[in-house]
Amino acid sequence: MGRAVDLFVTYRFLKLLTTPFEKTDAFKLGIIDKDGHRIKVPKSSKPAVELTTSELKNSYTILHKLIFNIKKLFAKVPGLRTKVGTYAAALFLLKDTFKEHVEDPDMFEKEFMKYLKENKIELDREISEEVIGFGEVLPKGEYVLKNDILNKEEEELTAKKGDKVIAFEDEAPVDTILGVEIFPVIHMKSQEKIYVSLEDITDE
């Protein structure tokens, strides 16, 4: 049964990652726009389409939200070469969200790497001189985001480049994804916990 679930989630993951927003059920049902953003009632934060039926709910699950946001991160990167850190943090959210539902939580990482290879997308694995430390621990303190970051509780990328985050104590990494260590911090605007790599933050 576990293997069957893995295959199903893998299929859904790759299908959503490779399907243009305009061809998804969420777009066809008026839930999202052509850029993957949730459509709102004009001059309101209220969604234009409430998820009141099984069809609507199945067209816009937490898996959809996370993968749609990963696709938005791709859209922000010029060319086909991209920093590994932010995608590592995004994949951690997928792994953490579905760890109790799949037999192999690492399958998101494996399938993502396969997807990048098949689409000739290169990951930039060079460590910037500006990176704070080299793993082991994220020192207590305030930092500034260098990239937009996903939050699985939000439909949009609410943790934006330039926002402040804080580590209230020295933080050990919670996981290593794509060879990159992932750390928890608090996004100061929303007061929500988000996950970052050391490439995503600066202390300047």
Side-chain angles (χ1 to χ4, degrees), residues 70-139:
I70 289 175
K71 285 159 69 73
K72 290 177 205 171
L73 289 177
F74 266 118
K76 291 176 178 287
V77 180
L80 294 178
R81 189 172 179 84
T82 182
K83 279 287 186 182
V84 66
T86 300
Y87 297 105
L91 288 174
F92 168 75
L93 285 184
L94 276 166
K95 177 179 177 180
D96 187 59
T97 301
F98 294 98
K99 62 187 176 186
E100 295 179 1
H101 304 283
V102 295
E103 199 170 60
D104 179 14
D106 293 327
M107 66 98 174
F108 291 110
E109 183 178 350
K110 296 172 186 174
E111 294 300 327
F112 186 70
M113 290 303 296
K114 180 180 176 183
Y115 166 80
L116 294 180
K117 185 176 180 180
E118 289 176 350
N119 287 273
K120 296 181 172 57
I121 298 173
E122 297 180 48
L123 286 178
D124 186 350
R125 295 182 178 276
E126 294 180 7
I127 299 176
S128 168
E129 294 179 359
E130 300 173 0
V131 164
I132 300 159
F134 289 95
E136 297 182 6
V137 69
L138 173 65

Side-chain angles (χ1 to χ4, degrees), residues 177-197:
I177 308 289
L178 302 175
V180 175
E181 292 180 323
I182 305 299
F183 299 86
V185 293
I186 300 299
H187 179 233
M188 295 181 72
K189 279 187 179 178
S190 65
Q191 290 299 299
E192 296 287 343
K193 181 185 289 186
I194 61 173
Y195 295 91
V196 299
S197 74

Side-chain angles (χ1 to χ4, degrees), residues 53-70:
T53 67
S54 295
E55 181 184 22
L56 291 168
K57 291 175 182 176
N58 291 336
S59 298
Y60 196 63
T61 65
I62 191 169
L63 181 64
H64 289 83
K65 293 177 187 178
L66 287 171
I67 296 175
F68 287 173
N69 280 337
I70 289 175

Side-chain angles (χ1 to χ4, degrees), residues 16-38:
L16 287 171
L17 196 61
T18 56
T19 300
F21 288 123
E22 300 98 308
K23 293 187 177 181
T24 64
D25 289 338
F27 177 82
K28 294 173 184 176
L29 293 170
I31 299 171
I32 63 170
D33 63 18
K34 63 181 180 62
D35 298 311
H37 300 295
R38 186 76 184 269

